[in-house]
């Protein structure tokens, strides 16, 4: 029996076309709560950047791809990047200028913008982070994630030479989320499982991006959105329609609520 459902945000709860949560998804969340099922977020976003779902009540938040996890407004798990890793990236960017956003516990800081960043911020309807000196930020703060705009072709070299011990989670060709190796949305889900005293077989997850693959493989019930790539769909047990065609509501009714009655 499913006791908790985790949702990715961008492309899952929120449409890339409308930048809002469809009414059908709000109805699905209401039905889950009506049936006593916990509703939670598992996102690459920072907590302060979840403005597009702020009207919906959630029981907990896995944020920054598992780097910081909250229950009832309290941080229950955190995994900053190694300071040496952040400094190596800072040194690399000084020589090979690429846009990088450093994600802190309560803010985001970025070095500069270009055409690639414009594309992503428009896609996500994302406010532009403040521009900062990344070396100052790295020297004085814990950094939980680096959103780095390097190509997929450059990724193996950067992973090997610049950020060993870290992992790249890419859900768009233009950039990668860099987190501590071994940390993913599953890390945060496991912290919440411990709080709720539930097992992986008692959770369901919905996702559409590359950073959702780990949790889709992990959960007892996993549902990929219709807008997901083939790789993401292969990681899930089922695939629903996309976010703009009632995918969450269909998935909740067909594979969660109907099976609760069995």
């Amino acid at each position: 029996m499913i006791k908790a459902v985790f949702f990715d945000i961008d492309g899952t709860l929120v449409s890339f076309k409308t930048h809002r949560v469809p009414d059908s998804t709000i109805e699905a969340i209401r039905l889950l709560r009506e049936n006593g099922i916990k509703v939670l977020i598992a996102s690459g976003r920072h907590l302060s950047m979840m403005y597009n779902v702020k009207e919906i009540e959630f029981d907990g938040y896995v944020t920054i791809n598992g780097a910081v996890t909250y229950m009832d407004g309290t941080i229950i798990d955190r995994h900053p990047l190694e300071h040496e890793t952040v400094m190596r990236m800072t040194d690399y960017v000084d020589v090979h200028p690429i846009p990088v956003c450093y994600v802190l516990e309560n803010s985001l800081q970025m070095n500069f913008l270009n055409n690639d960043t414009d594309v992503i911020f428009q896609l996500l309807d994302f406010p532009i982070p403040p521009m900062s000196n990344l070396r100052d930020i790295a020297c004085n703060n814990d950094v939980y994630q680096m959103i780095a705009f390097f190509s997929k072709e450059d990724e193996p070299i950067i992973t090997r030479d610049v950020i060993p011990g870290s992992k790249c989670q890419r859900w768009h060709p233009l950039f990668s989320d860099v987190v501590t190796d071994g940390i993913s949305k599953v890390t945060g889900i496991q912290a919440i499982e411990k709080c709720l005293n539930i097992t992986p077989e008692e959770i369901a997850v919905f996702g559409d991006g590359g950073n959702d693959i780990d949790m889709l493989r992990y959960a007892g019930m996993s549902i990929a959105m219709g807008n997901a790539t083939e790789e993401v769909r292969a990681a899930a047990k089922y695939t629903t329609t996309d976010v703009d065609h009632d995918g969450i509501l269909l998935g909740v009714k067909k594979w969660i609520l109907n099976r609760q009655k069995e």
Side-chain angles (χ1 to χ4, degrees):
M1 179 172 289
I2 298 300
K3 296 183 179 179
V5 181
F6 291 81
F7 295 98
D8 170 55
I9 294 180
D10 298 296
T12 300
L13 284 179
V14 175
S15 165
F16 286 124
K17 295 178 182 178
T18 67
H19 303 298
R20 60 179 293 274
V21 180
D23 291 340
S24 62
T25 295
I26 294 173
E27 171 66 7
I29 291 172
R30 184 192 69 78
L31 290 172
L32 290 172
R33 290 199 176 282
E34 196 175 81
N35 282 269
I37 298 171
K38 299 287 187 182
V39 180
L40 308 104
I41 289 288
S43 174
R45 284 190 181 235
H46 185 283
L47 188 62
S48 68
M49 293 293 103
M50 294 185 185
Y51 55 88
N52 47 4
V53 295
K54 66 180 180 180
E55 303 302 326
I56 302 173
E57 179 185 356
F58 294 97
D59 297 293
Y61 299 84
V62 177
T63 74
I64 320 176
N65 289 311
V68 183
T69 300
Y70 301 80
M71 277 293 290
D72 300 321
T74 300
I75 294 177
I76 62 169
D77 195 44
R78 68 173 85 211
H79 302 274
L81 286 157
E82 291 288 340
H83 179 69
E84 290 182 2
T85 299
V86 180
M87 294 309 299
R88 280 196 299 269
M89 177 63 85
T90 306
D91 291 341
Y92 178 83
V93 171
D94 283 346
V95 179
H96 308 277
I98 59 170
V100 180
C101 181
Y102 284 0
V103 183
L104 313 182
E105 184 178 315
N106 296 305
S107 68
L108 296 89
Q109 306 290 330
M110 194 160 194
N111 54 349
F112 67 90
L113 304 173
N114 66 9
N115 290 337
D116 290 347
T117 62
D118 291 345
V119 168
I120 295 303
F121 291 142
Q122 290 174 16
L123 175 69
L124 300 178
D125 191 29
F126 205 75
I128 305 299
M131 300 299 111
S132 303
N133 182 308
L134 292 187
R135 188 166 298 278
D136 289 345
I137 298 298
C139 287
N140 295 291
N141 299 271
D142 282 336
V143 177
Y144 289 87
Q145 178 174 275
M146 298 181 290
I147 304 171
F149 285 76
F150 53 76
S151 69
K152 191 170 184 178
E153 291 71 30
D154 289 338
E155 186 171 308
I157 298 171
I158 292 175
T159 302
R160 183 193 68 209
D161 297 340
V162 182
I163 51 172
S166 302
K167 176 174 63 176
C168 294
Q169 297 182 313
R170 182 180 295 272
W171 61 268
H172 193 282
L174 293 180
F175 74 98
S176 186
D177 294 330
V178 179
V179 296
T180 300
D181 193 19
I183 301 303
S184 70
K185 292 182 180 183
V186 171
T187 309
I189 289 173
Q190 289 173 330
I192 289 176
E193 284 175 346
K194 186 175 180 180
C195 282
L196 297 178
N197 193 29
I198 58 177
T199 67
E201 290 71 30
E202 294 173 311
I203 70 167
V205 300
F206 284 80
D208 75 299
N211 58 347
D212 297 321
I213 288 175
D214 287 346
M215 73 172 184
L216 289 167
R217 289 173 176 162
Y218 174 81
M221 173 61 67
S222 56
I223 303 166
M225 302 302 293
N227 44 292
T229 64
E230 286 303 319
E231 182 184 13
V232 175
R233 293 185 189 202
K237 289 182 172 63
Y238 303 102
T239 298
T240 185
T241 53
D242 64 45
V243 59
D244 296 299
H245 293 88
D246 305 331
I248 297 294
L249 182 59
L250 291 172
V252 164
K253 286 182 173 180
K254 184 173 183 179
W255 291 299
I256 299 177
L257 296 183
N258 283 349
R259 296 194 175 196
Q260 301 288 82
K261 301 172 184 177
E262 295 177 357

